[in-house]
Amino acid sequence: MNGLMMNTPLLISSIAEHAAKFHGDREIVSVTGDNPCHRCTIGEAISRAKQLANALGKLGLKQGDRIATIAWNDYRHLEIYYGVSGSGYVCHTINPRLFAEQLIFIINHAEDRFIFVDAMFVPLLEALADKIPNVEGFIVLTDEAHMPETSLRNVLCYETFIGAESSHFDWPELDERTASALCYTSGTTGDPKGVLYDHRSTILHAYASLAPDVMGLSSRDVVLPVVPLFHVNAWGIPYSVLMAGAKLVFPGPKMGDGEALYGLMDSENVTLALGVPTVWLALLQYTEKAGKRLDKLDRSIVGGAAVPRAMIEAFRDKHDVEVRQGWGMTEMSPVGAVNTIKAGLEKLSPDDLLDLATKAGRGLYGCELRIVDDGGNELEWDGQAYGALQVRGPWICSDYFKLEGSAGSHTDDGWFDTGDVAIIDPQGYMTITDRTKDVIKSGGEWISSIELENTAMGHPAVAEAAVIGVAHPKWTERPLLVVVKAEDQDVSKEEMLAFFEGKVATWWVPSDVAFVDELPHTATGKVKKIELRRQFADYQLPD
Ligand code: AMP
């Protein structure tokens, strides 16, 4: 027998309607290429999203067509999120930091019909224009006064495009499984793969994000997403924040600028900030140098890569800011686990609490987790066993766009194989020890490169560290620590290695240290281990 409840579809447009009605006066502050401090309200942004929907309706698009963005975090990008997805088209966010070949591949693979582009990325597209012949036009995200000279064909100015349109628009009643957004994984190997979100998965993920032990979002919050709108929908922030009615502060092109981020946090009273560890490194370096304190910030959600213990400690002890580590993937919308203190653990010593905070987090309701051995057998959550981490749930991809059935990413019983290796402790806290392909196997035993990196990052002279396996005649592989020294700091090889004593098992201590000026990074700011392994392919370890 079925229940007698309404089968109301979960649609992104319903967030727009809710936000305009209940939090229409909440502010959105943006840094943009054409305005260092733009202010509008959620209500105004939703009205403009409807003007955009009306304008898109005149382009001869059909439902499911892909419309791309190459843009920073600001109010216009937010309007596109709602105007495009709400109308039944697919909002394809593109990372401008990808290489030209990857951009060409992605735009052609997605069959993008139009591209919304920030004025500063116009030259990027001009260089590719003859390789993306199917794109029918480009809409530059600015007003007439700031339109750049360009060789691109069929160029429109965003403000003119939407300017004359009505702000009345009846959102279509879509099926909740309708595709809403598309994001390609940065793909360190092979071609990038497209993850196609739908309205239902987006709403469920946003709902889950609001919970106190996830992001704990409320209408009293002021949220600064430094995580880009072009990377996994900025962890769902455009949806969850409009559900909750928090104030939004968008940093635009200032994402990696510690001083600018501090300025925004201070002047706009930001309570919650979200980003990858590299971004916070820049912020913490700035506050240290300038002698500033993050007085207004309450918590920061840090994920996308393991968060170094020293970073969590600096936030906690110097700024009284709670770091919530999160773990997830593009394929998972992205949130799969978040680290908050479980009842009963509050009384741990400050040191033990720090240790706890270095873990990737506990699974949240809606995302099932399991670890399995090479034979696919489920492993105990005993804090010891390492295994391939697999996940299942309504906001996790069931396949990749146009690769249906051929990516080999899912198990026969319907779980997604994340490619991460993890340990889960009896309390449910998970530690990511490696990507499957980054695992270091020494004498048949696994060594966690992430744990070694975190330990190295605790040394004051280390700005960034990465650990890779290099060939060894006896042990097959041994860990090599690659270090970028902090500005004006020095440390010797011997001092660096001595720093590991008592912190990790003796046989885990790296066999050597190499100092470099910088590490190679992916387009999303993660260390590109594949490139690092290539650079050190012939490295000779000392005897
Ligand atoms: P992406 O799809 O680009 O967001 O990358 C997802 C990958 O980032 C995951 O599969 C992990 O390897 C890594 N990752 C994300 N969060 C964490 C974390 N808290 N600790 C360690 N690795 C992480």
Side-chain angles (χ1 to χ4, degrees), residues 501-541:
E501 275 169 27
K503 297 191 176 79
V504 299
T506 2
W507 63 277
W508 277 35
V509 176
S511 290
D512 204 1
V513 186
F515 294 101
V516 294
D517 291 336
E518 58 176 351
L519 292 171
H521 289 100
T522 65
T524 48
K526 299 180 191 185
V527 175
K528 211 172 177 183
K529 294 261 178 101
I530 198 163
E531 173 59 28
L532 206 58
R533 278 195 289 270
R534 203 174 295 137
Q535 283 175 20
F536 288 92
D538 301 321
Y539 194 81
Q540 291 295 320
L541 291 169

Side-chain angles (χ1 to χ4, degrees), residues 487-500:
E487 227 179 289
D488 307 327
Q489 299 270 0
D490 202 15
V491 59
S492 71
K493 212 176 255 196
E494 293 68 30
E495 285 164 342
M496 198 63 247
L497 293 177
F499 187 68
F500 284 90

Side-chain angles (χ1 to χ4, degrees), residues 12-13 49-68 79-92 112-114 116 161 169-172 174 178-182 196-199 202 239:
I12 288 171
S13 55
K50 291 183 176 181
Q51 288 179 275
L52 172 61
N54 279 317
L56 290 169
K58 295 178 180 158
L59 292 180
L61 299 162
K62 53 183 193 320
Q63 258 196 24
D65 279 348
R66 271 76 64 204
I67 303 176
E79 291 161 12
I80 298 169
Y81 262 62
Y82 282 92
V84 170
S85 303
S87 304
Y89 314 123
V90 177
C91 181
H92 172 204
D112 293 325
R113 291 192 59 185
F114 289 85
F116 288 98
F161 181 57
F169 181 78
D170 291 325
W171 303 109
L174 306 166
T178 305
S180 58
L182 176 65
L196 192 60
Y197 310 100
D198 60 37
H199 287 255
T202 305
Y239 312 112

Side-chain angles (χ1 to χ4, degrees), residues 186 231-232 303-306 325-331 360 418 420 432 435 450 524 526:
S186 39
H231 186 210
V232 213
Q325 178 159 187
W327 168 82
M329 303 179 74
T330 307
E331 288 87 338
T418 63
D420 283 341
I432 304 290
R435 292 289 295 160
I450 294 183
T524 48
K526 299 180 191 185

Side-chain angles (χ1 to χ4, degrees), residues 66-213:
R66 271 76 64 204
I67 303 176
T69 65
I70 304 188
W72 295 116
N73 287 12
D74 65 28
Y75 67 104
R76 292 189 183 109
H77 206 167
L78 183 79
E79 291 161 12
I80 298 169
Y81 262 62
Y82 282 92
V84 170
S85 303
S87 304
Y89 314 123
V90 177
C91 181
H92 172 204
T93 52
I94 299 180
N95 184 342
R97 300 184 188 126
L98 294 173
F99 297 123
E101 309 83 73
Q102 291 175 313
L103 289 171
I104 294 165
F105 174 87
I106 283 174
I107 293 168
N108 288 331
H109 189 265
E111 299 171 72
D112 293 325
R113 291 192 59 185
F114 289 85
I115 301 182
F116 288 98
V117 58
D118 261 355
M120 75 163 72
F121 297 127
V122 164
L124 187 81
L125 281 177
E126 285 172 340
L128 323 171
D130 56 342
K131 306 253 172 48
I132 47 170
N134 296 330
V135 178
E136 293 159 48
F138 302 87
I139 302 155
V140 182
L141 294 166
T142 191
D143 53 22
E144 290 292 348
H146 295 88
M147 275 299 278
E149 286 276 319
T150 174
S151 59
L152 289 174
R153 67 208 134 73
N154 298 334
V155 174
L156 298 165
C157 165
Y158 181 80
E159 292 301 331
T160 313
F161 181 57
I162 69 166
E165 300 294 338
S166 157
S167 57
H168 294 282
F169 181 78
D170 291 325
W171 303 109
E173 276 269 333
L174 306 166
D175 183 307
E176 64 181 16
R177 301 301 305 268
T178 305
S180 58
L182 176 65
C183 182
Y184 282 74
T185 60
S186 39
T188 42
T189 49
D191 288 327
K193 295 198 276 292
V195 180
L196 192 60
Y197 310 100
D198 60 37
H199 287 255
R200 175 185 145 85
S201 68
T202 305
I203 301 264
L204 292 175
H205 177 266
Y207 256 134
S209 307
L210 299 180
D213 274 329

Side-chain angles (χ1 to χ4, degrees), residues 270-476:
V270 170
T271 58
L272 167 66
L274 306 95
V276 295
T278 347
V279 163
W280 302 130
L281 214 56
L283 177 75
L284 291 174
Q285 274 165 1
Y286 168 76
T287 53
E288 187 71 31
K289 236 183 186 166
K292 307 269 191 196
R293 197 166 175 277
L294 297 163
D295 289 326
K296 324 247 170 93
L297 193 64
D298 172 52
R299 60 206 188 280
S300 95
I301 298 188
V302 191
V307 188
R309 193 178 197 272
M311 178 176 287
I312 303 171
E313 193 175 15
F315 267 118
R316 187 186 75 177
D317 296 348
K318 294 190 178 157
H319 301 278
D320 196 21
V321 170
E322 179 199 356
V323 169
R324 293 188 179 184
Q325 178 159 187
W327 168 82
M329 303 179 74
T330 307
E331 288 87 338
M332 301 171 59
S333 300
V335 184
V338 174
N339 193 332
T340 54
I341 301 168
K342 202 171 161 174
L345 300 180
E346 313 89 331
K347 303 251 156 46
L348 289 175
S349 71
D351 227 36
D352 289 344
L353 281 174
L354 261 188
D355 286 339
L356 184 71
T358 59
K359 301 188 177 193
R362 284 183 291 136
L364 58 148
Y365 174 75
C367 175
E368 290 177 80
L369 306 167
R370 70 179 185 190
I371 44 174
V372 300
D373 66 14
D374 289 346
N377 307 303
E378 217 172 322
L379 296 169
E380 289 284 310
W381 292 15
D382 58 4
Q384 306 284 330
Y386 291 65
L389 178 60
Q390 300 180 343
V391 291
R392 189 167 72 167
W395 57 77
I396 290 155
C397 73
S398 61
D399 217 320
Y400 291 101
F401 184 46
K402 294 206 235 166
L403 282 178
E404 283 83 341
S406 64
S409 49
H410 289 71
T411 62
D412 291 341
D413 59 347
W415 290 66
F416 172 66
D417 205 338
T418 63
D420 283 341
V421 179
I423 304 174
I424 307 180
D425 72 18
Q427 302 268 15
Y429 287 88
M430 179 181 72
T431 303
I432 304 290
T433 61
D434 263 303
R435 292 289 295 160
T436 323
K437 51 189 185 306
D438 293 339
V439 155
I440 302 170
K441 246 185 170 172
S442 180
E445 298 284 344
W446 282 357
I447 293 178
S448 164
S449 63
I450 294 183
E451 189 166 340
L452 294 179
E453 286 156 7
N454 279 343
T455 306
M457 292 287 286
H459 194 288
V462 175
E464 212 181 357
V467 173
I468 50 167
V470 292
H472 188 280
K474 180 169 175 195
W475 302 109
T476 322

